[in-house]
Each structure stands twice: as structure tokens, then as C-alpha cells.
Amino acid sequence: VINHGVPLELLEKIKVAAKAFFDQPVEEKRKVKRDEVNAMGYHESEHTKNVRDWKEVFDFFIKDPSFLPASPETEDDEIRTLSNQWPETPPQFREVCQTYAREVEKLGYKLLELISLSLGLPSNRLNGHFEDHTTMMRLNHYPPCPCPELALGVGRHKDAGALTIVAQDDVGGLQVRRKSDEVWVPVKPTPNALVINVGDTIQVWSNEAYESVEHRVVVNSERERFSIPVFFFPSHYVMVKPLEELVNEGNPPKYKPYNFGKFFVARNRSDYKKLEVQNIQISDFKII
Ligand code: OGA
Ligand code: NI
């Protein structure tokens, strides 16, 4: 999207802030290291589908605190209160992150409204699912990689939430998989534009009128790259299922309902370590 309403000077500032944060010594960054209880903060060894990614990240919730299930187990109904961790340096880092996040949040609601209208629904149809949203912003840093053909910045995946709004610098590396011939197509950086990914949740809500896009990030041996996605996630208690107005006898629901929080926590757990099992996907809820 262009003409998105996010002030361009803020878009510039957030990229500068991301670089200033990651440029610090690793000991400094580890002061806000995320762990298995608090998923927010700095992380240097994320896995996508059990393979380590060539990147480091800093994550925070737009709503602080945010609420998520304590575990993916269905019998366990404990809810955990999660708060952000902010570094003391660089100065202004927190303020720039929060100001940028607020602007992107407005854009996210606007896009959700347009998507609702495009499905023939009232513009505010999806808003109720975001009252206690678990939306998260991430700063990604992909350092140059000595063997770029052997690694990926982020392995192929689909975003689990509703929408993702991505700011990227001019280096390039994001690719989307074209369904017709399965070719990976680069998403060329366009100055001042933001990239929108449709996520799994909208695929399910729309009963596949919209499809979640498979994407990945390739790395290069020369230039580091920064990107800043904001992942729009619904409230943890939302049962995600095809919207009732969109299903009927001729177009039956393609998915069984699932609890967003449980899905999210199950998915996130595999981010920390290599597990023996495949991580959870919406296809696990598909009605064949
Ligand atoms: C992600 C992602 C894309 C990018 O973090 O989920 O797909 O361009 N990032 O960094
Ligand atoms: Ni992604």
C-alpha cells in the first residue's frame, strides 16, 4: 500500500531505531532477551518449521500487557499476562517503536474494514475480534550471510494472524510463492510503501475467499537487511471459524473452529527450539 497514512518521517525513524538497536553489542541486547515464559524482547535463534533462521529479532505487543493462554493444552485454562521488555538504549527507541506501532495499528483497522466490505459485510464486522488483540510488532535484522545459498532469513511459512503490515528497507529478500507455478517471486522494495500479507486467520474467516500467502526471506553475503512487520492477531479467546454470513449449503465451512490463543501458543512454542514434530498449521482444522 501507498498513501497509507503512516507518516513517512516515522517510517524513516523506525528503520534508524532498528539499526541503532541491533548495532549494539550482543550483551546489551541480551538484557532484554525473551524466554519461554515471556515471548517478548530480543531473540537471536528463532526457528521456522524447526530450522534455525539467519536473523535476530526484537518483539513487543502493541497492547501492554497482552493476554494469552499459559499453555497450548486444551484442559489448561490458565491465562498469562504478558508484558513488554524495553531496553534502556538506544534513547528514544521505545518512543519511536510505540509511535510507529500506533500509526500502523490505525492502518490495520482500515484494511480490516476494507476486507470486510469486499466480502459484502459491514465495515466493522471484524473489529469485535480485536478488542483484546495480541498484535505484535517485530524488528527483524538479517545480517550478511557467508553462504546465502545454504540459509534463509526466514524459512517458508504463512503468517498465523489476520494481516501483516511490513516495512522493509531497500535491500530486498522477501519472496512470495506464486500458486500457479510454485515459483518464488521477489517482493521488490518500493520506497515508502508497506507490504501487506494476508494471514491464516483471514483465510479461515473468509472461508478461503482470501488466501494466506506463503513467503520466505532470502539472505545475501553483502548487505544486512532490516524489516519491520506488525502482525495483527485477534484476542486470545476468539474462536476462529468461517464467518456465518459467508457459509451456506452451497458453500459449507471449510474449517473447524479453533481457539486463536491456543493455536498461537502452540505455534510459538516451536519458535524456540527444534522440535521433533511438525508445528501446528490451519490445515489441521481443515474439513476435507
Ligand atoms: C516474518 C516475515 C518478512 C520480511 O517475520 O514473518 O515474513 O520481509 N518477514 O522480513
Ligand atoms: Ni511472515
Side-chain angles (χ1 to χ4, degrees):
V1 280
I2 56 168
N3 299 326
H4 40 63
V6 178
L8 298 183
E9 65 272 13
L10 204 50
L11 207 52
E12 192 47 44
K13 271 192 188 162
I14 192 68
K15 290 174 188 167
V16 171
K19 177 158 174 58
F21 173 76
F22 290 116
D23 271 351
Q24 300 181 111
V26 75
E27 305 77 64
E28 200 55 43
K29 294 183 272 190
R30 284 192 187 136
K31 288 182 186 163
V32 289
K33 196 168 169 43
R34 94 187 195 188
D35 56 41
E36 295 220 11
V37 174
N38 192 348
M40 295 301 110
Y42 173 69
H43 196 42
E44 53 189 317
S45 58
E46 195 171 59
H47 290 71
T48 299
K49 303 195 196 233
N50 301 327
V51 178
R52 197 188 185 296
D53 295 324
W54 192 273
K55 66 167 183 197
E56 52 181 343
V57 307
F58 178 82
D59 290 336
F60 66 94
F61 288 118
I62 291 192
K63 265 195 209 290
D64 191 11
S66 282
F67 303 95
L68 278 170
S71 78
E73 266 62 69
T74 33
E75 322 73 72
D76 179 4
D77 52 20
E78 188 189 338
I79 299 301
R80 198 169 269 160
T81 305
L82 296 169
S83 300
N84 293 331
Q85 305 194 70
W86 290 104
E88 280 169 24
T89 56
Q92 316 274 302
F93 177 78
R94 176 177 182 161
E95 196 195 314
V96 173
C97 284
Q98 288 175 325
T99 312
Y100 177 80
R102 268 195 300 276
E103 292 297 327
V104 175
E105 188 181 11
K106 286 188 222 159
L107 173 63
Y109 280 110
K110 179 135 216 178
L111 292 168
L112 288 170
E113 286 170 12
L114 292 170
I115 287 170
S116 302
L117 290 173
S118 77
L119 292 167
L121 302 169
S123 63
N124 65 356
R125 175 63 176 88
L126 298 173
N127 293 30
H129 295 320
F130 290 87
E131 247 144 59
D132 298 297
H133 68 66
T134 50
T135 297
M136 194 189 98
M137 175 160 145
R138 163 168 287 178
L139 308 177
N140 279 314
H141 175 221
Y142 304 96
C145 178
C147 301
E149 63 291 347
L150 297 180
L152 285 169
V154 190
R156 58 195 284 177
H157 68 283
K158 295 180 176 186
D159 294 346
L163 287 177
T164 310
I165 300 183
V166 189
Q168 60 170 340
D169 63 17
D170 61 355
V171 175
L174 175 60
Q175 300 180 331
V176 293
R177 202 151 94 116
R178 189 162 57 205
K179 253 185 68 183
S180 54
D181 55 6
E182 307 199 329
V183 167
W184 288 101
V185 179
V187 179
K188 266 208 296 192
T190 302
N192 303 329
L194 294 164
V195 176
I196 314 299
N197 291 342
V198 168
D200 288 341
T201 311
I202 286 201
Q203 176 167 329
V204 175
W205 279 336
S206 71
N207 209 28
E208 294 186 356
Y210 279 91
E211 277 183 66
S212 177
V213 66
E214 189 171 31
H215 55 287
R216 67 178 189 182
V217 175
V218 296
V219 283
N220 72 78
S221 57
E222 268 128 53
R223 289 184 71 192
E224 62 179 350
R225 173 174 183 264
F226 297 93
S227 72
I228 303 132
V230 177
F231 301 99
F232 283 82
F233 294 134
S235 317
H236 74 81
Y237 45 78
V238 166
M239 289 302 289
V240 183
K241 57 173 192 209
L243 299 172
E244 272 143 33
E245 304 92 309
L246 301 180
V247 297
N248 53 48
E249 261 171 47
N251 182 21
K254 295 189 164 84
Y255 295 88
K256 291 180 275 192
Y258 62 89
N259 175 280
F260 182 76
K262 292 286 182 192
F263 178 80
F264 182 74
V265 170
R267 186 73 164 232
N268 247 11
R269 201 169 50 161
S270 70
D271 288 352
Y272 303 92
K273 49 178 177 271
K274 199 164 169 145
L275 300 176
E276 293 309 315
V277 291
Q278 237 268 65
N279 69 353
I280 192 168
Q281 301 292 335
I282 48 166
S283 52
D284 298 333
F285 302 97
K286 180 107 182 176
I287 299 169
I288 318 137

